[in-house]
Amino acid sequence: MKKLFKLPYWLLLVFSWEKSFRNNPIIGNYWLNRCGLHVARLVVAHLLFRFRLMLLSPLLAKQDRQAFLDNGFILKPNFLPEADFAALKHELKAYNGPISETLEGDTLTQRLFLDRAKAKLLPQCQRFINNIALSKLMRYCSSKNRLPLFYVENLKFHSLDATATDPQQDLHIDTFHPCIKGWFFMDDVDDRNGPHVCIPGSYRLSWRRLRWEYRQSLLASRPVGQDAAARYWDGSFRVGPDDLDFMQCQPPKVFCVPANTLLISNVHGIHRRGDAQGQATRMVIWMQARDNPFNPFFTPCPRLTARAFEFFWRRMMAKREQRLAKNGLLRYTDTGFY
């Protein structure tokens, strides 16, 4: 009876950004996916993504739009004037306040959510958030005309005696639909401190990519007893060397870039966090713009919508963080970034 009452809710989530094959028995139904449910969601989401990009094309110059459509990313070196970047970096390095810490394998992720209240206490961060050029780039690439969520993220590689490996260092896709993440690098990035790695153009729906997605959906929706490993992906499929060969992907691009570089990338494309050597660190302002992919229109009020989305995101993340903290996977500290 409980499952019967939840059926309308699960059905509604099919037309949302929900990606879990484990938590939603409709999305995770083997026979529905055998009939093409996952592939249908994928194709419709991509068509609407391209439609919204067309509507928002006045936001960016043709050169930037074409680079994003061809590669799935935009790279902007020397994004801020040198004096502005120096002031922003000093503010973040000097920050001494509450942050959250999450351990993934042997990588410690320290994060500070830059909501409106926190940004007011960090004037250089607020100035960066209000940057008009950044706003246009993120509003177009997200296809939703909405400002992203902002975090300060500090990664500490090999910082603890953990035996597990960092799952973010496996090639993967984030979800079934196009969505955007951005990194504004506060430090120089090279092979020592985990550069971002992605496969250019891999977000596009080639025939081989569709066949691969179909096969992954069947693996991910099999009962746990038959293939428990497939459930680990939970909608974020991992990509192996044989998969790259099957999809005939381009060689990966490693983003070894200087500080003050902005990278915006479509994380439906194949990507990973690069390997790191020794106890290296990398600080960024991290941005995420993920929204309902089945909404055909973009928001006419980007700042108002961003505030509403921030409110609901904060509540959703609070529940998730409570669950992680209860399981010992997350902790809070008042020491700032170290």
Side-chain angles (χ1 to χ4, degrees), residues 80-90 124 127 131 186 260:
L80 292 181
E82 186 175 344
D84 292 348
F85 174 73
L88 176 61
K89 183 174 182 177
H90 175 75
Q124 296 303 325
R127 187 176 181 182
N131 185 288
M186 309 307 299
N260 195 17

Side-chain angles (χ1 to χ4, degrees), residues 75 153 155 157-158 166 168-172 183 185 187-199 252-258 263 270-277 280-284:
L75 191 67
E153 179 182 85
L155 298 178
F157 299 96
H158 308 299
D166 183 351
Q168 300 297 331
Q169 292 178 330
D170 298 330
L171 280 173
H172 64 281
W183 297 264
F185 297 101
D187 302 308
D188 294 336
V189 182
D190 53 33
D191 290 332
R192 295 172 298 174
N193 59 350
H196 183 72
V197 180
C198 80
I199 309 291
K253 180 175 178 59
V254 181
F255 289 93
C256 293
V257 296
L263 169 63
I270 301 168
H271 65 283
R272 72 181 184 97
R273 180 183 292 160
D275 300 326
Q277 303 173 11
T281 61
R282 169 163 65 80
M283 177 178 280
V284 300

Side-chain angles (χ1 to χ4, degrees), residues 34 55 76 86 102 108 124 126 194 221 281 283 301 315:
R34 193 172 180 86
L55 296 179
K76 293 288 185 180
T102 307
L108 183 68
Q124 296 303 325
Q126 187 169 46
S221 56
T281 61
M283 177 178 280
C301 307
R315 296 187 63 178

Side-chain angles (χ1 to χ4, degrees), residues 291-333:
D291 212 329
N292 184 355
F294 298 111
N295 182 354
F297 304 110
F298 61 83
T299 173
C301 307
R303 293 195 177 276
L304 182 62
T305 306
R307 291 181 181 180
F309 200 86
E310 179 188 293
F311 172 78
F312 289 107
W313 180 264
R314 191 189 303 113
R315 296 187 63 178
M316 186 171 65
M317 286 297 100
K319 293 180 179 179
R320 176 180 178 272
E321 290 177 356
Q322 287 177 1
R323 185 172 65 253
L324 291 174
K326 185 177 180 180
N327 295 327
L329 300 176
L330 179 143
R331 69 176 185 176
Y332 301 94
T333 176

Side-chain angles (χ1 to χ4, degrees), residues 172-298:
H172 64 281
I173 62 172
D174 275 16
T175 188
F176 71 93
H177 62 88
C179 61
I180 300 305
K181 288 182 179 177
W183 297 264
F184 181 61
F185 297 101
M186 309 307 299
D187 302 308
D188 294 336
V189 182
D190 53 33
D191 290 332
R192 295 172 298 174
N193 59 350
H196 183 72
V197 180
C198 80
I199 309 291
S202 59
Y203 80 96
R204 293 197 296 266
L205 289 187
S206 65
W207 177 243
R208 287 179 173 267
R209 173 67 184 266
L210 283 173
R211 289 170 62 190
W212 179 82
E213 290 274 357
Y214 177 73
R215 187 172 60 199
Q216 301 310 304
S217 71
L218 297 184
L219 289 173
S221 56
R222 293 180 67 181
V224 175
Q226 295 183 34
D227 193 350
R231 289 288 178 154
Y232 167 74
W233 296 332
D234 199 22
S236 179
F237 299 150
R238 263 44 192 174
V239 184
D242 292 341
D243 302 316
L244 295 176
D245 290 340
F246 175 79
M247 289 183 279
Q248 298 180 344
C249 293
Q250 298 182 42
K253 180 175 178 59
V254 181
F255 289 93
C256 293
V257 296
N260 195 17
T261 296
L262 174 68
L263 169 63
I264 300 172
S265 182
N266 185 338
V267 289
H268 178 67
I270 301 168
H271 65 283
R272 72 181 184 97
R273 180 183 292 160
D275 300 326
Q277 303 173 11
Q279 295 185 348
T281 61
R282 169 163 65 80
M283 177 178 280
V284 300
I285 294 182
W286 181 73
M287 295 154 275
Q288 177 174 260
R290 184 177 296 186
D291 212 329
N292 184 355
F294 298 111
N295 182 354
F297 304 110
F298 61 83

